[in-house]
Amino acid sequence: MRSLIDIVDFTLEEVDELIATACDIHQNPQKYADACKGKKLATLFFEPSTRTRLSFEAAMYELGGNVIGFSEASSSSASKGESVADTAKVISCYADIIAMRHPLEGAPLVASRNATVPVINAGDGGHLHPTQTLTDLLTIYREKGRLTDLTIGFCGDLKYGRTVHSLISALSRYHNIKVVLISPKELAIPEYVKSDVMDLNEMHYFETDSLDEALPELDILYMTRIQRERFDDLETYERLKDSYILTCEKMQEAKGDMCILHPLPRVNEISVAIDSDPRACYFKQVLNGKLIRMALILKLLGETDKVESRDEGLEHSEFCCANPRCITSVEQELVPKFRSVELKERVYRCIFCEKDAVLKEEK
């Protein structure tokens, strides 16, 4: 049985296959109208969502299946203290496949290790969002006709932006991708993304705090909002929330065929006046999200007999995970596990949230 927790769970060939299936679904929807007849998708959303949850539900309905689930943690037994592991075991008795969003990093991984049906990570805290990444790849492919030889700028919240982290991981496997990281220093890309993904794969990238300077070079501009829900300090959020606002005036400096992407929801980082610009592709992304999730559901339901290979990690009694957003910080029965990474020196990373391990006495 296979799940999708991280975009790198799929090979490059499998991602290309999903894109091809999504394009075929768009061209021949009736061909897939009964593909999931008799199957049920459980949408377990412990955190608010509009596009992701509804696109999963629309995808399953358009494949002829049914949907059960909840849209907030207070509607589930989590409000009574039920663990993610137990929730996954229970829902496996009711559904054929699970899509889970959770505010704690690593929660979908825990679910996948306890469920008896495929689990799809629909976003875990500020960590990963692989189905949005598939959506982004499909959008880029449909707009540009390729996933190679592109300069892509990521602008806004790169620290907590799980969509950014996942997409960079995916793009690291394609040829000649140049990345421009545009953010205030407080919201810079995490070091583990740079070291484990971009440096390891020898991606060409540079960091700047100026959108104006970067804009003329970009083939793709990936805008993100400054996420209030990721900040513990309201004062810092208020200071940073309007760091970047894309306007029609700024767009005069951009390439005529540049594509603007945004995972949505938009607050005010893209002027509504840009919606009529043919380079604005963020609402096309919404449709592409439904198409690629249809393709993903078909793939995972068709591979329930395949064995998933994943790094199980090792227990290291001297280490702990100090990330307060990690699932291990809340569900105490979980044993933190770590994997070693060979960089300039060996470091250990939590397998659930990918943050650096620390010595217990340093926590």
Side-chain angles (χ1 to χ4, degrees):
M1 182 187 67
R2 297 188 69 188
S3 293
L4 177 62
I5 305 302
D6 188 332
I7 190 64
V8 297
D9 292 341
F10 286 173
T11 66
L12 196 60
E13 291 72 24
E14 287 177 314
V15 171
D16 291 341
E17 173 193 314
L18 282 171
I19 290 173
T21 301
C23 290
D24 191 50
I25 291 171
H26 184 248
Q27 293 295 321
N28 305 288
Q30 286 304 313
K31 175 179 168 184
Y32 299 88
D34 294 315
C36 288
K37 186 175 181 179
K39 300 292 185 180
K40 292 188 291 293
L41 165 73
T43 52
L44 312 185
F45 277 65
F46 296 81
E47 191 175 50
S49 169
T50 300
R51 278 149 302 280
T52 303
R53 181 173 62 86
L54 293 183
S55 69
F56 266 114
E57 294 182 0
M60 194 57 167
Y61 284 130
E62 291 189 27
L63 290 169
N66 291 295
V67 179
I68 60 174
F70 52 82
S71 59
E72 56 185 351
S74 61
S75 300
S76 77
S77 289
S79 62
K80 303 174 185 178
E82 183 174 67
S83 68
V84 168
D86 282 0
T87 297
K89 291 172 185 176
V90 169
I91 301 302
S92 295
C93 298
Y94 306 143
D96 301 285
I97 187 168
I98 294 170
M100 173 184 280
R101 169 167 290 186
H102 203 286
L104 294 176
E105 296 163 11
L109 176 57
V110 173
S112 72
R113 292 183 169 186
N114 289 275
T116 55
V117 299
V119 174
I120 301 170
N121 180 2
D124 61 332
H127 185 210
L128 298 169
H129 197 349
T131 64
Q132 181 63 49
T133 299
L134 290 171
T135 297
D136 300 336
L137 293 174
L138 176 59
T139 304
I140 294 170
Y141 179 79
R142 293 189 67 194
E143 295 301 315
K144 289 293 188 181
R146 67 187 191 279
L147 290 168
T148 59
D149 305 304
L150 294 166
T151 299
I152 302 178
F154 293 93
C155 180
D157 179 3
L158 309 189
K159 180 178 181 180
Y160 300 114
R162 58 193 173 197
T163 60
V164 172
H165 306 166
S166 286
L167 184 52
I168 288 175
S169 291
L171 291 169
S172 70
R173 299 189 288 183
Y174 290 92
H175 176 68
N176 195 28
I177 297 294
K178 299 177 182 178
V179 172
V180 183
L181 303 165
I182 309 159
S183 73
K185 65 180 185 301
E186 295 92 338
L187 296 175
I189 200 84
E191 285 299 320
Y192 78 86
V193 177
K194 289 193 285 187
S195 61
D196 292 14
V197 180
M198 294 189 286
D199 290 340
L200 194 63
N201 290 284
E202 299 182 340
M203 292 183 78
H204 177 75
Y205 69 91
F206 70 93
E207 298 178 85
T208 179
D209 61 2
S210 174
L211 174 59
D212 293 353
E213 291 180 9
L215 202 54
E217 305 301 318
L218 304 179
D219 299 306
I220 306 286
L221 172 61
Y222 197 99
M223 293 292 294
T224 67
R225 69 185 173 93
I226 309 298
Q227 303 174 84
R228 170 65 187 91
E229 63 270 28
R230 305 296 174 216
F231 283 79
D232 296 322
D233 178 9
L234 182 59
E235 182 179 339
T236 303
Y237 166 74
E238 291 293 336
R239 178 167 55 83
L240 296 175
K241 68 178 183 179
D242 294 327
S243 296
Y244 303 102
I245 299 175
L246 188 64
T247 63
C248 293
E249 182 180 11
K250 284 185 171 66
M251 284 297 293
Q252 293 177 10
E253 303 302 317
K255 293 180 179 180
D257 63 347
M258 186 189 78
C259 295
I260 309 166
L261 305 186
H262 192 304
L264 301 178
R266 166 179 60 182
V267 182
N268 67 340
E269 59 275 3
I270 299 178
S271 167
V272 294
I274 291 177
D275 294 355
S276 59
D277 190 312
R279 293 170 289 185
C281 298
Y282 31 91
F283 292 117
K284 293 180 181 179
Q285 276 176 280
V286 177
L287 172 61
N288 289 331
K290 181 189 70 174
L291 297 172
I292 202 70
R293 290 179 176 106
M294 290 173 74
L296 177 61
I297 289 168
L298 287 172
K299 179 177 179 60
L300 292 179
L301 286 177
E303 297 185 353
T304 54
D305 59 337
K306 290 191 176 182
V307 178
E308 185 175 42
S309 176
R310 180 182 289 279
D311 183 359
E312 295 294 323
L314 295 172
E315 294 180 37
H316 292 279
S317 58
E318 70 273 28
F319 291 130
C320 66
C321 180
N323 177 15
R325 300 175 186 271
C326 181
I327 186 69
T328 60
S329 71
V330 175
E331 299 199 358
Q332 301 300 327
E333 72 279 6
L334 284 171
V335 177
K337 293 185 178 181
F338 306 93
R339 61 183 175 87
S340 63
V341 181
E342 293 287 350
L343 300 172
K344 292 180 180 178
E345 58 184 22
R346 176 172 293 191
V347 298
Y348 291 89
R349 297 258 161 78
C350 173
I351 64 168
F352 297 100
C353 68
E354 296 185 84
K355 301 299 191 297
D356 286 359
V358 297
L359 293 172
K360 286 185 177 179
E361 57 266 27
E362 295 177 358
K363 185 175 180 179

